[in-house]
Amino acid sequence: MGEDIRHISSLEQEIFPLEQVQGFLLNSRIFGSYLPTNTHIISYLEAFNRPFTLLSLIQYIELAAAADERAQTLNRKKCAVKKIVAELIAQNPERWSRLDQFFIDRLFRSIKTKRIQTKRIPRERYLTPDEVDVFLKKADRHTQAIILFLITTGCRVSELTNCRRSAATVHDDFVDIVVTGKGNKERHVQITKSLWTRIERLYQGHDYLFCTRDKTILDRKFIYKKIQELSVDIINRKIGPHVFRHSFAMMMLQNGKDLKAVSDYLGHAKTELTADMYIHTTVKLEEIPDFEKRLTKRESSGTNE
């Protein structure tokens, strides 16, 4: 756990009672894409009957590390807990002194997470424009609107479900929308005016751009189910909605769009991540000059010195 932990004065002090934890951790405005991890943290606290303390949050990460979880899962849990602590400090600056905050930061740095070996996206995890056309033709109106939004913006499903009308600026021929991605980072995406009109007609009366008939936020599981059912019918295998994000990236790069522009549009932290995932470069034998053949040719022409 590191020596810095003993210097944190309020390590075992209960932040607030467990009955208030759910309301705090499940605030979508604050935690956005971290909500699934935060739900898991609540289950962890209840299962082990632990109070909501800084020590409990640290032990949650260490338990995941000891269980040898996948790098992506472990890193996401650490980022979620760091976001929770950062928000707690921002809301209650008097609880932790500057020195406490310094040692908390050092403590998190000492908890090592795993290096993710990014793999390039294989062919079966993205679609060609013709394949997207088939999906759109076979989808119902609501699923069509969802697919069009995903393939146009490259958004994650969580970004789509949390997208709000109040975050949109309507221009003459396009609509600019602010979406909130991983780490609560905001970025701008754009859709056509005609797609905006289509969505407006289908989903009316709520600030959420996509909503249920009861005007509540659309469940991401519902979207996964619709896309998976459609994919089994079309390509005889299940794919998730994230495939449309991969497809957007591949189409942009294959059309010659600047790598950094695509990376920023997708909301990636580093351009290298985008390159590693989507730029498929390999060296083939036929592309290498045949120096042996060149040598033979030189020898037969008598030019060998």
Side-chain angles (χ1 to χ4, degrees):
M1 198 176 294
E3 293 185 4
D4 289 329
I5 196 167
R6 69 186 65 172
H7 298 292
I8 303 172
S9 59
S10 56
L11 190 69
E12 298 185 58
Q13 181 182 348
E14 188 174 47
I15 300 167
F16 39 73
L18 279 178
E19 56 266 23
Q20 297 179 25
V21 172
Q22 187 165 334
F24 171 68
L25 292 184
L26 299 185
N27 188 321
S28 60
R29 181 184 61 82
I30 297 174
F31 295 109
S33 60
Y34 291 128
L35 289 182
T37 304
N38 287 8
T39 301
H40 191 262
I41 291 173
I42 294 170
S43 300
Y44 154 79
L45 293 172
E46 292 175 345
F48 289 92
N49 195 26
R50 292 186 175 172
F52 185 54
T53 66
L54 184 59
L55 180 60
S56 294
L57 292 173
I58 293 167
Q59 289 175 338
Y60 171 76
I61 301 174
E62 293 187 323
L63 186 64
D68 198 29
E69 293 189 350
R70 290 190 313 134
Q72 187 174 6
T73 303
L74 179 59
N75 293 351
R76 184 172 64 247
K77 287 182 176 181
K78 180 179 177 182
C79 289
V81 170
K82 288 182 70 174
K83 172 63 179 174
I84 291 168
V85 175
E87 186 62 30
L88 287 169
I89 291 174
Q91 291 186 15
N92 308 278
E94 71 286 349
R95 182 182 290 272
W96 290 282
S97 67
R98 290 280 183 91
L99 189 60
D100 277 340
Q101 294 177 36
F102 170 76
F103 283 123
I104 289 171
D105 183 64
R106 281 189 48 170
L107 177 61
F108 274 112
R109 291 174 186 269
S110 71
I111 301 174
K112 300 299 181 184
T113 51
K114 300 178 181 179
R115 180 178 177 83
I116 298 176
Q117 299 297 326
T118 306
K119 296 181 180 179
R120 72 179 190 178
I121 302 302
R123 172 63 186 88
E124 60 269 18
R125 292 191 62 195
Y126 65 89
L127 304 171
T128 65
D130 288 341
E131 289 170 332
V132 173
D133 286 342
V134 177
F135 270 81
L136 289 170
K137 287 177 183 177
K138 294 205 172 187
D140 59 62
R141 292 182 305 152
H142 290 270
T143 310
Q144 274 183 352
I146 290 169
I147 291 174
L148 284 167
F149 187 87
L150 292 173
I151 196 64
T152 301
T153 63
C155 278
R156 304 174 179 92
V157 173
S158 59
E159 294 168 348
L160 177 147
T161 56
N162 287 296
C163 192
R164 294 178 179 270
R165 280 183 172 81
S166 55
T169 303
V170 181
H171 298 273
D172 290 338
D173 52 356
F174 72 95
V175 178
D176 183 271
I177 305 172
V178 178
V179 296
T180 304
K182 289 184 177 180
N184 248 18
K185 293 180 180 177
E186 293 184 345
R187 69 181 191 281
H188 291 256
V189 297
Q190 295 178 353
I191 62 174
T192 62
K193 191 73 172 291
S194 59
L195 177 54
W196 173 261
T197 303
R198 179 194 290 261
I199 296 171
E200 284 271 273
R201 287 173 179 169
L202 289 171
Y203 304 93
Q204 298 178 8
H206 198 284
D207 188 33
Y208 285 112
L209 196 57
F210 294 88
C211 60
T212 66
R213 291 179 180 177
D214 299 327
K215 309 306 179 186
T216 58
I217 188 170
L218 199 61
D219 187 356
R220 56 187 295 166
K221 292 181 181 178
F222 169 80
I223 298 177
Y224 271 89
K225 183 179 178 182
K226 296 290 287 186
I227 299 298
Q228 287 180 345
E229 288 176 351
L230 202 59
S231 65
V232 170
D233 180 47
I234 296 173
I235 57 178
N236 199 32
R237 61 183 173 85
K238 288 184 179 180
I239 63 169
H242 209 71
V243 162
F244 294 101
R245 177 173 166 85
H246 293 323
S247 304
F248 167 86
M250 291 299 298
M251 290 175 195
M252 292 298 98
L253 292 171
Q254 288 173 353
N255 287 336
K257 190 64 180 174
D258 178 73
L259 174 63
K260 184 157 190 330
V262 175
S263 183
D264 290 345
Y265 201 79
L266 290 170
H268 283 166
K270 295 181 179 179
T271 305
E272 291 84 349
L273 175 63
T274 313
D276 198 15
M277 292 176 70
Y278 299 113
I279 298 181
H280 298 182
T281 54
T282 56
V283 175
K284 299 178 181 179
L285 182 61
E286 59 267 24
E287 296 173 333
I288 304 172
D290 191 339
F291 290 102
E292 184 181 13
K293 185 175 182 179
R294 288 155 64 98
L295 174 62
T296 305
K297 187 175 181 179
R298 283 171 60 87
E299 289 176 337
S300 63
S301 63
T303 57
N304 189 32
E305 296 181 358

